[in-house]
Every structure is written in structure tokens, then in C-alpha cells.
Amino acid sequence: MYRFLLTPRWLALHVVVLLVIPAFVFLGRWQFGRFEERSANSERVTANIEAAPVPLERLAAPGRQVREDDRFRKVTVSGTYDPAHALLVRRRPQDGQNGFYVLTPLVTGNGTAVIVNRGWVKAGATADATPEVPAPPTGQVNVTGRLRLSETEDSSGIRERSGLPAGQVLLINADKIGKGLPYRLVGGYVELTEQAPAPATAPAPVPEPDVGAGGGLNLAYGVQWWLFIGIALAGWVLLIRREVAERKAGDSSKESVPAAN
């Protein structure tokens, strides 16, 4: 009765099932791994955002990259802005509008400084037109902000290119920006949230990072892939049972046919 399982058509079906099941197992495990990774990242970023600010020098210094675990940690730093070396970061949309981030070095003394992302401004009439940028406060300023890692092409998905207008960049990379400056830049940069004294006008604040659902979709996808394993097995068994039933019915009909005289 079950010899049909060894026919070429059924052998091909067995191979498909045997290949599909481990593939679904792998995809499910991969999604569960992504769930754990994203959940841990979400918890870490949330904790850093909610933590009390600490002095910048505790987490960053010239020639030292910001640690991954310190992303978005709130820091405080004091110094004077250097508008002569300010930069605009292209291709930074916000609230559905094209615009720029405004970078201004904050000189902290002892020949060191840190890049401060003071916020966002709307783009000008054309892509190469210089937008209106509020001036930074003069004199000593106390800055509070989120510590960020320097951007790279891999981390941002933005590709560098030459031929940009003077004073504009595509990536916020302290190592590249620091070349030619009269002071050493701290690794990473600070995303401004507060400053004192507060200026009369200022760029729009950069929104807090969206920590998302902590990988909830990855968990759902992982469960989904493993459910597909059960569906594949159930379908395979159902096809076999249906074939057996059809063969039994065929044999029964042959036996019920009266013999010819």
C-alpha cells in the first residue's frame, strides 16, 4: 500500500520537505536572535536616555572612540562655541522636510573641543543654497546632550562624495572633521538637548531616538517560521493519507465489479 512513497514524484516531495524544515528552523532561530539583540539594544538605549547626565570627560576623550554601550548617554560639557569652524550636515530630513544639522565645535580648553550638533534647520531654496542658521551663544556655555558615536558609511548608510559646497559634510565623523582644526576633537559628538545661557533663536532640536518595540516583530516572525514547520509536516502527512485513501477506494471499486460471464 505504501510503495508509492518510493516513486520519483513522492521522493521529490520528501526531499522538498526535508529541505524546507531545517530552513524554517534556521530562519526562526535567526529571528529569535534578532529579537534578543534588538531588545537588549532597546533596553540599553532607554536606560542611557533616562540616566542622569555625567561629565563628558568620563566617557569620551580625544583619540578615543565612544563605546557602543554609551550611545545616547546624557553628558554635560562647558566651553565656548567656535562658529568659524561650524559645518552643515546635508540630507537630514526632519518632520517630512529636507534640511541640515548644524555642527559647531565647543572648545573646552587645554587644546580640546567637542562637536555639538545644535539641531536642525530647514533647507534653502535650492540644494546648494545656504540655509538660515541661528548663531550660537557667545561666551561660556554649559551644554547638556546625548553622546553619539561618529558616523561612518557603514553605520549610517550614507555614502561620502566630493564636490560639496564649502562648509558642508555628509557624515558627522570627528576624525575627518578634526583634520586641520586648531584643536583636538573628542571622539564622537554631542547631540544638544539643553544649553545655558539659552539663545533667543536656535535650530530645531533633534528628536529623541526611537527605540522601537524592542524587536517585537522579530519575535512574531520567529514564531511564524516555526509554525510553518508544523504546517509543512501536517501538509506532508495529509497528502500521504489522501493518496492512501484514494488507492484504497480504487482497490475497493475494482473488487466490487462483477466478473464477466
Side-chain angles (χ1 to χ4, degrees):
M1 181 59 67
Y2 290 95
R3 289 180 181 176
F4 68 89
L5 293 175
L6 299 178
T7 61
R9 180 170 68 90
W10 278 94
L11 287 174
L13 178 61
H14 304 333
V15 170
V16 170
V17 173
L18 291 174
L19 290 175
V20 161
I21 290 176
F24 287 171
V25 170
F26 169 80
L27 289 170
R29 292 183 63 181
W30 180 75
Q31 289 289 357
F32 289 137
R34 292 290 292 163
F35 162 71
E36 293 177 354
E37 179 183 324
R38 290 188 173 182
S39 295
N41 176 71
S42 177
E43 292 172 0
R44 181 169 60 247
V45 170
T46 299
N48 285 348
I49 292 173
E50 296 176 350
V54 298
L56 174 66
E57 58 266 23
R58 281 180 51 181
L59 304 178
R64 189 178 80 197
Q65 298 301 319
V66 175
R67 296 190 315 137
E68 190 78 18
D69 288 346
D70 291 329
R71 287 179 304 134
F72 299 107
R73 183 72 187 273
K74 284 188 177 179
V75 295
T76 58
V77 58
S78 298
T80 56
Y81 282 118
D82 177 15
H85 293 99
L87 294 169
L88 294 174
V89 188
R90 296 170 65 95
R91 300 180 184 176
R92 301 299 166 128
Q94 190 162 303
D95 296 328
Q97 293 183 300
N98 292 327
F100 299 81
Y101 284 157
V102 180
L103 306 183
T104 311
L106 184 73
V107 181
T108 57
N110 298 322
T112 63
V114 61
I115 296 172
V116 176
N117 180 357
R118 296 199 292 121
W120 179 88
V121 293
K122 185 179 178 181
T126 66
D128 291 338
T130 302
E132 295 184 8
V133 180
T138 58
Q140 189 77 2
V141 181
N142 299 317
V143 167
T144 301
R146 296 181 287 264
L147 183 60
R148 301 293 305 272
L149 281 70
S150 284
E151 295 177 342
T152 64
E153 289 187 344
D154 291 337
S155 67
S156 67
I158 299 172
R159 298 304 171 199
E160 287 273 32
R161 70 177 180 86
S162 58
L164 298 178
Q168 295 187 15
V169 295
L170 287 169
L171 297 174
I172 311 176
N173 186 295
D175 290 339
K176 291 185 177 180
I177 293 173
K179 293 178 180 178
L181 292 180
Y183 34 71
R184 296 179 302 154
L185 286 180
V186 166
Y189 65 99
V190 174
E191 203 168 69
L192 179 68
T193 56
E194 300 175 43
Q195 62 183 348
T201 58
V206 178
E208 281 193 356
D210 181 9
V211 297
L217 282 177
N218 296 102
L219 177 61
Y221 291 148
V223 172
Q224 184 181 63
W225 282 118
W226 282 19
L227 286 176
F228 287 162
I229 297 173
I231 293 172
L233 288 172
W236 181 56
V237 172
L238 182 63
L239 288 173
I240 293 175
R241 293 182 65 180
R242 188 173 68 179
E243 182 77 12
V244 170
E246 290 175 353
R247 287 174 177 270
K248 285 183 177 180
D251 291 345
S252 297
S253 63
K254 290 179 182 178
E255 292 174 0
S256 62
V257 175
N261 292 328

